[in-house]
Amino acid sequence: ETLMGKYGDSAKLIYELQDQGGELLALRYDLTVPFARYLAMNKITTMKRYHIAKVYRRDSPATSRGRYREFYQCDFDIAGHFDPMIPDAECLKIVHEILSELKLGDFLIKVNDRRILHGVFAICGIPESKFISTCSSVDKLDKMPWEDVRSEMVGEKGLSPEAADRIGEYVRLHGGLDLIEQLLQDPKLSQNKLAKEGLGDMKLLFEYLTLFGITGKICFDLSLARGLDYYTGVIFEAVLVQQENDHVEESVGSVAGGGRYDGLVGMFDPKGRKVPCVGVSIGIERIFSIMERRVKASGEKVRATETQVLVATPQKHLLGARLKLISELWDAGIKAEMLYKKDPKLLKQLQYCEDTGIPLVAIIGEQELIDGVVKLRVVTTREEVRI
């Protein structure tokens, strides 16, 4: 019951299960709802935290696009009563910083506000009862042309063609501060209380983002709806923009998303006490699948291990010497490895270093044992020193 009714259309993707006693349970769908429940249960009114953990979706997987049934998310959330748009701007700054730092290529963070959408739907004559279902249609505009979205609204969601066309005039707009100013002047929209509030806050947000110096990658996009029920204000989503000549990239779609959910904590509080929250969620596997594709395309070698040195022996019957030396290295905090064979061939040991990218080999043969030295060899250049 805790999870149901918080996700709108997406609730059908919740993994349900019954335990042996027949109690109805479910796996968590995201980290936001559990976070809200945690705040309410522990009566926490201010908190800033990040959380990396697994979530589950009963979705049809598409591994090439980074869509899985079990995957990691990384969430940042800021909870508490603060002045408008300051924490919201910080969340966007974090997303911008992460995506820039990971060098995933060109990205765009789309921003909208649930209240602006509400206002747009209201002035286009959409009844409140159809708000959420219309929202999920609008949200498909990044994947489908307007004609298809329009026919879904009219055909499946039961809107009148005129209402759908009126929505179309708004949801295809995107821009920056200039668009916000333009909509604030819009005679119909500026009469709507919610839309006016949303646009006022959006203007404030863009002023803060300008101070953070990140508006170049941020776009106010009226088609962004985010299908989840619990968003109450600002919503955002980061997408990767088409890459170079390789047209695969765009299929990965959204790599991060989030927004403001001021009512969620109150749903779990017996007294309905509200804690305003804003947060962002980063899809780790999505980002991994892009990075893996990149590495494959570039042909560069990725080291799967941090091993610094391989302990090797050139002759037979020297396992004891290897074990003694590797133990000494481990005790000194050096990341060392050896092959799990009694008498491996030297060539095989050196080949292993090349394959795994281990930079150094410590060789001890019979002569080294007599001389009390270790031969240290750099794998790539083959230069050697005796220590």
Side-chain angles (χ1 to χ4, degrees):
E1 304 85 276
T2 303
L3 291 176
M4 292 300 175
K6 309 280 190 301
Y7 296 112
D9 247 9
S10 317
K12 56 180 181 290
L13 299 180
I14 292 177
Y15 252 113
E16 295 166 49
L17 26 122
Q18 272 188 352
D19 70 3
Q20 291 83 334
E23 188 187 353
L24 276 179
L25 302 168
L27 297 176
R28 64 179 166 203
Y29 178 88
D30 65 5
L31 302 176
T32 313
V33 171
F35 174 62
R37 181 189 61 102
Y38 174 79
L39 292 180
M41 274 176 62
N42 293 286
K43 302 191 173 46
I44 295 169
T45 51
T46 41
M47 188 177 190
K48 187 174 174 179
R49 74 94 173 83
Y50 75 91
H51 182 182
I52 299 179
K54 275 187 177 172
V55 296
Y56 302 86
R57 308 260 157 112
R58 200 174 67 197
D59 209 346
S60 42
T63 45
S64 62
R65 296 216 310 271
R67 267 185 103 105
Y68 302 95
R69 288 182 160 188
E70 172 185 24
F71 55 94
Y72 280 98
Q73 274 186 350
C74 171
D75 279 27
F76 295 84
D77 292 272
I78 302 175
H81 292 267
F82 304 112
D83 285 336
M85 296 299 125
I86 307 174
D88 310 59
E90 187 173 323
C91 279
L92 287 164
K93 173 87 172 113
I94 290 173
V95 176
H96 185 280
E97 192 177 317
I98 288 172
L99 295 180
S100 308
E101 196 75 24
L102 290 172
K103 298 187 176 43
L104 298 172
D106 208 12
F107 62 90
L108 184 66
I109 304 172
K110 303 178 189 175
V111 186
N112 196 5
D113 193 301
R114 264 310 191 24
R115 294 165 298 176
I116 300 173
L117 273 180
H118 232 295
V120 167
F121 291 175
I123 64 171
C124 295
I126 311 291
E128 182 80 34
S129 58
K130 294 211 169 115
F131 179 69
I132 285 162
S133 63
T134 310
C135 243
S136 62
S137 295
V138 169
D139 205 34
K140 293 176 185 160
L141 266 174
D142 57 343
K143 299 180 192 74
M144 283 160 44
W146 164 247
E147 286 62 46
D148 297 353
V149 171
R150 182 184 180 277
S151 59
E152 180 181 301
M153 286 179 173
V154 177
E156 292 171 36
K157 309 284 166 86
L159 302 187
S160 70
E162 301 77 47
D165 290 335
R166 283 201 292 269
I167 288 177
E169 284 168 29
Y170 286 104
V171 295
R172 284 182 286 177
L173 297 172
H174 49 87
L177 263 172
D178 46 348
L179 176 59
I180 300 168
E181 294 291 0
Q182 179 196 321
L183 290 172
L184 279 164
Q185 302 307 312
D186 183 300
K188 289 201 291 250
L189 207 52
S190 56
Q191 294 308 303
N192 181 284
K193 184 171 164 288
L194 272 175
K196 205 170 162 188
E197 264 176 39
L199 285 164
D201 276 354
M202 191 58 74
K203 188 178 170 184
L204 204 51
L205 180 67
F206 266 81
E207 283 166 14
Y208 297 157
L209 297 176
T210 308
L211 294 169
F212 278 152
I214 60 173
T215 44
K217 297 269 190 222
I218 293 185
C219 166
F220 170 39
D221 185 332
L222 280 143
S223 73
L224 178 68
R226 304 235 358 118
L228 300 176
D229 275 10
Y230 53 63
Y231 291 121
T232 54
V234 169
I235 42 179
F236 37 85
E237 190 164 277
V239 291
L240 293 184
V241 188
Q242 194 85 44
Q243 290 299 310
E244 304 103 58
N245 46 11
D246 157 20
H247 293 295
V248 201
E249 272 335 352
E250 197 155 52
S251 64
V252 169
S254 155
V255 287
R260 178 159 281 285
Y261 50 101
D262 287 349
L264 198 54
V265 180
M267 288 173 133
F268 297 111
D269 190 290
K271 297 200 173 116
R273 280 176 294 232
K274 283 197 168 167
V275 178
C277 297
V278 62
V280 56
S281 180
I282 305 202
I284 297 182
E285 260 85 356
R286 285 268 169 104
I287 288 173
F288 276 179
S289 62
I290 296 151
M291 290 175 127
E292 280 168 357
R293 208 179 297 151
R294 279 274 156 82
V295 168
K296 221 180 206 159
S298 73
E300 67 176 288
K301 210 168 166 138
V302 174
R303 282 196 63 188
T305 155
E306 290 187 352
T307 308
Q308 294 161 296
V309 57
L310 182 87
V311 175
T313 42
Q315 296 102 356
K316 287 188 169 179
H317 313 305
L318 288 173
L319 175 61
R322 269 189 293 154
L323 290 172
K324 262 170 87 171
L325 180 57
I326 201 163
S327 177
E328 213 173 299
L329 292 171
W330 284 341
D331 289 345
I334 289 167
K335 297 174 178 144
E337 235 183 284
M338 59 177 228
L339 296 193
Y340 300 129
K341 274 195 157 37
K342 270 208 290 264
D343 300 317
K345 292 195 164 53
L346 186 60
L347 202 63
K348 193 139 191 192
Q349 298 172 82
L350 296 172
Q351 188 58 51
Y352 178 72
C353 291
E354 296 211 346
D355 294 345
T356 53
I358 298 173
L360 299 170
V361 193
I363 302 172
I364 32 172
E366 285 154 4
Q367 194 54 49
E368 282 80 13
L369 283 172
I370 295 166
D371 299 347
V373 294
V374 170
K375 201 155 65 177
L376 200 58
R377 175 175 180 157
V378 179
V379 175
T380 46
T381 62
R382 308 209 168 151
E383 57 183 299
E384 294 184 343
V385 285
R386 283 156 69 85
I387 292 171

